Amino acid sequence: MTIRQAITKAQTNLQPSNDARFDALLLAEHTFKLDKTQLHLQANMLVDPTHYFNLVARRAAGEPLQYILGSWEFYGLPFAVGLGVLIPRPETEMLVELALRNAQCMLNAELTIVDLCAGSGCIGLSIAHHLPHAQVHLVELSDAALPYLKQNAARYPNATVHHDDIFNYASSIAHCALVVSNPPYIATHELASLQAEVQHEPAMALDGGADGLDFYRKLAEIWLPRCDVLAVECGDGQAEDIVQLFGGGEILQDFNGIGRVVVAKREQV
């Protein structure tokens, strides 16, 4: 079977997904170790499609494409991901942009940044990449997520991984310039109604308690007094409540007009 024939069949197998063509091509790149241009130029090359179709079957069954590929790009950087770790999403890049803007205004020669509920480390490590002078601490409790976090952090000498509860870890930080977090923010009763693909992601990284705000209450109580700036991602309709919990702050909207990031500064609260 040629590469073209394999991709065509895969696309059919992945229907009715709107991303069938996209998924089929990415899985082909991954399987045959060719980029998009090479796939086109070598479309008539004969291949054994067995492994490719095995991956396509996993995708058709609802397994996230990112888990199958084993890595995903975030803020222009590659991150290892897999079962047990939250998948990096484009809207979370807003949190990195905000953190970098705030950090550039800080005159602290030994800038300390803490990423709570770090998961794959995509937020904190993107910051570490662009601020090599900063010391970035990434805190993650999940045993399943930790190997991915450590693998990703190994590329950054200014990043330190802590396997700890984010509230217990607070006792070791008297003060830091910036805290960032994409905490669990889905209300418990909504977990069962999430898309089938999202159901593959760890509930530990999604479940934010009865109203989805449990972690924000603790962040307000324990971490807000310890930092100059606290920036968090949140879900649709939560931003105003979080500003109230933080005693002030600014809401930034994503491209869909959803309040996606809340930032609280010491002088605002």
Side-chain angles (χ1 to χ4, degrees), residues 106-124:
M106 296 175 178
L107 302 178
N108 190 338
E110 297 181 355
L111 195 62
T112 300
I113 299 171
V114 180
D115 179 5
L116 303 172
C117 304
S120 67
C122 63
I123 299 170

Side-chain angles (χ1 to χ4, degrees), residues 40-250:
H40 177 73
L41 294 175
Q42 301 186 47
N44 293 320
M45 183 175 71
L46 292 172
V47 293
D48 177 357
T50 303
H51 180 57
Y52 177 56
F53 289 143
N54 286 339
L55 299 186
V56 169
R58 289 168 57 187
R59 182 72 188 106
E63 185 174 348
L65 176 66
Q66 296 87 342
Y67 287 177
I68 299 171
L69 296 175
S71 68
W72 199 246
E73 184 178 293
F74 177 87
Y75 210 73
L77 301 168
F79 289 91
V81 295
L83 190 64
V85 68
L86 194 70
I87 295 168
R89 288 172 167 80
E91 58 267 26
T92 305
E93 293 183 352
M94 288 181 58
L95 199 52
V96 177
E97 290 279 3
L98 179 70
L100 292 176
R101 287 203 304 269
N102 277 276
Q104 288 165 359
C105 298
M106 296 175 178
L107 302 178
N108 190 338
E110 297 181 355
L111 195 62
T112 300
I113 299 171
V114 180
D115 179 5
L116 303 172
C117 304
S120 67
C122 63
I123 299 170
L125 296 176
S126 295
I127 296 170
H129 175 83
H130 289 280
L131 296 177
H133 66 285
Q135 294 301 312
V136 181
H137 297 269
L138 303 104
V139 186
E140 177 56 56
L141 181 62
S142 168
D143 292 331
L146 197 66
Y148 299 103
L149 177 56
K150 288 183 174 180
Q151 179 181 343
N152 292 325
R155 301 194 300 270
Y156 302 97
N158 60 329
T160 305
V161 173
H162 304 273
H163 185 201
D164 203 350
D165 179 279
I166 66 171
F167 307 118
N168 179 64
Y169 177 72
S171 62
S172 64
I173 297 287
H175 175 265
C176 60
L178 176 65
V179 170
V180 293
S181 183
N182 179 16
Y185 57 69
I186 306 296
T188 304
H189 69 275
E190 295 177 355
L191 293 175
S193 62
L194 294 174
Q195 293 178 334
E197 186 171 301
V198 181
Q199 301 281 358
H200 286 78
E201 296 186 75
M204 182 177 179
L206 301 171
D207 190 349
D211 61 357
L213 299 175
D214 281 2
F215 277 78
Y216 301 101
R217 293 186 180 92
K218 289 293 187 179
L219 289 170
E221 175 189 351
I222 298 175
W223 279 99
L224 192 53
R226 285 178 160 82
C227 63
D228 294 327
V229 178
L230 172 61
V232 298
E233 181 175 327
C234 61
D236 189 1
Q238 295 179 323
E240 293 287 353
D241 290 333
I242 293 168
V243 169
Q244 291 296 316
L245 288 172
F246 287 176
E250 178 185 3

